[in-house]
Amino acid sequence: MERNQFLLFLSFLFSTIATILGIAILVSGSSLARFSSGTGGGLFQASEIGAVVIPIVGEIHSGESTFDSTGADTVLRQLRELEEDGNIKGILVEINSPGGTVAASQEIFNELLHLRKTKKIVVSMKDVAASGGYYIAAASDYIFAQNGTITGSIGVISFAPNVKGLLDRYGVGVRTYKAGKYKDMYSPFRDSTNEEDDMIGKQLQDTYRKFVEDVAKGRNKTVKSIEELAEGKIYSGEDAFRNKLVDDIGGRREAHKKLSELCQYDGLIPLFEQEISPFDRFLQSIGVSFFGDNSNVSKIRSLIQSQVLVILPTALGKLML
């Protein structure tokens, strides 16, 4: 009996040590250490000349990326690390996103536009790169889309449900306590006033104008030319090419070749991609990312604030691209 208890204790001890070591490796790993060559070769080395693939996938939002969404904080951290590495000559941004929140898309756009001063940036659009996805693409030097890519949708939308009629039907009343005349402007329990509609409309127009101006700036076009293509219109990749919203038709192969040319690299420039282990994918699927984030508190917060918990409550009244 004592021997079995001793073996049980050893098993527990080794399991505990292995768990602690595993967590330590996950926490201490830097984002650049998790990049490996997509064109053959070994792990990312700071001494190598190359380019990095940055994916923009799913809904674009503030905070950390998850398995099926893009968090601005995660992308900005990666881009700022790459800015400090002189051996990284270019960035291949692969976009498969229908858009997201305004501020998050603007942050990534502005960071890429800043990086264009020192690095070459090429975008490869996948199934969809619309609204906020196109906003980000406009910050690049060159954009590729597939013929069947859905893109464009240069516009802004905000929404809030109105269940007042349903509540009135069943005699349900909602009491609202507020300090500030407009604090419940997006309340789903009452109709909005004309004054509130005007305020929301002005907010949307301001954001829309900035969206159009940024696209024009990134694409080196006039604001008027972008306005004619905006208003929320969507385009196939081929139609976007005809309207000069994208520069060429193609996928990763063509984008990689163009990026190599822009970087003045002889041949195809090595591409470094972020490695994601099956365990990391599992963690990301429940709303947490361990890449390049050394704050345990933020990791726990990300886990608690899973997309399943926050996507509906935080979407109400939010400006979306």
Side-chain angles (χ1 to χ4, degrees):
M1 181 66 71
E2 290 181 357
R3 182 173 179 274
N4 290 337
Q5 290 177 336
F6 178 73
L7 292 175
L8 184 62
F9 170 77
L10 286 179
S11 298
F12 173 79
L13 180 62
F14 287 134
S15 298
T16 302
I17 293 173
T19 301
I20 293 173
L21 288 175
I23 293 174
I25 291 171
L26 285 170
V27 171
S28 63
S30 68
S31 61
L32 286 182
R34 291 175 179 267
F35 282 98
S36 65
S37 175
T39 56
L43 294 176
F44 175 82
Q45 301 292 329
S47 60
E48 291 186 53
I49 299 294
V52 167
V53 178
I54 297 292
I56 305 293
V57 178
E59 178 199 356
I60 302 164
H61 55 84
S62 297
E64 302 298 328
S65 296
T66 67
F67 176 65
D68 58 356
S69 70
T70 296
D73 290 354
T74 300
V75 176
L76 293 176
R77 184 169 54 248
Q78 292 173 340
L79 294 177
R80 286 163 184 164
E81 287 179 2
L82 297 177
E83 180 181 13
E84 299 172 359
D85 193 330
N87 289 314
I88 296 301
K89 302 301 182 182
I91 300 171
L92 175 57
V93 183
E94 294 191 323
I95 302 178
N96 193 15
S97 169
T101 60
V102 174
S105 302
Q106 288 175 334
E107 278 195 303
I108 299 173
F109 169 87
N110 289 329
E111 192 65 27
L112 286 172
L113 205 61
H114 171 72
L115 278 176
R116 252 171 69 172
K117 299 174 184 177
T118 56
K119 302 184 189 299
K120 300 302 180 181
I121 302 172
V122 172
V123 162
S124 174
M125 294 179 171
K126 304 304 181 184
D127 293 325
V128 59
S131 203
Y134 185 78
Y135 203 147
I136 291 171
S140 65
D141 294 292
Y142 209 87
I143 301 175
F144 283 91
Q146 297 287 2
N147 296 85
T149 298
I150 300 299
T151 188
S153 189
I154 301 172
V156 188
I157 186 171
S158 181
F159 61 92
N162 187 338
V163 297
K164 180 179 180 297
L166 180 64
L167 297 180
D168 288 345
R169 179 178 178 181
Y170 291 100
V172 178
V174 177
R175 292 180 294 176
T176 301
Y177 306 95
K178 61 181 180 179
K181 181 179 178 180
Y182 307 105
K183 190 62 179 177
D184 65 336
M185 188 163 61
Y186 277 101
S187 172
F189 307 120
R190 67 171 178 84
D191 295 326
S192 60
T193 66
N194 291 334
E195 186 180 8
E196 289 169 340
D197 289 341
D198 290 341
M199 292 174 64
I200 294 171
K202 184 179 184 304
Q203 186 182 24
L204 290 169
Q205 285 301 318
D206 288 345
T207 306
Y208 176 66
R209 185 178 65 253
K210 178 62 174 173
F211 191 173
V212 171
E213 290 173 351
D214 280 347
V215 169
K217 180 180 180 181
R219 296 290 295 159
N220 295 316
K221 305 289 185 183
T222 64
V223 171
K224 183 178 179 180
S225 68
I226 298 301
E227 284 177 337
E228 294 173 352
L229 299 170
E231 298 183 344
K233 300 173 186 175
I234 60 173
Y235 302 87
S236 67
E238 190 170 354
D239 201 17
F241 174 60
R242 284 195 293 265
N243 284 284
K244 300 183 179 180
L245 286 174
V246 305
D247 298 294
D248 210 341
I249 299 297
R252 172 180 280 214
R253 184 187 300 275
E254 292 77 13
H256 186 189
K257 181 180 179 181
K258 185 64 178 181
L259 183 60
S260 302
E261 293 174 0
L262 292 177
C263 293
Q264 298 181 337
Y265 191 87
D266 186 17
L268 290 177
I269 192 168
L271 281 181
F272 303 111
E273 297 186 70
Q274 194 171 43
E275 291 184 328
I276 302 179
S277 70
F279 183 62
D280 288 326
R281 286 185 180 274
F282 169 74
L283 291 173
Q284 284 186 312
S285 70
I286 57 175
V288 61
S289 172
F290 282 88
F291 294 110
D293 186 359
N294 294 321
S295 169
N296 291 327
V297 174
S298 65
K299 292 180 178 62
I300 295 172
R301 186 183 298 115
S302 296
L303 179 61
I304 294 173
Q305 294 179 342
S306 166
Q307 283 297 101
V308 175
L309 299 177
V310 306
I311 190 168
L312 290 177
T314 60
L316 303 182
K318 183 181 292 184
L319 291 182
M320 303 291 287
L321 294 174

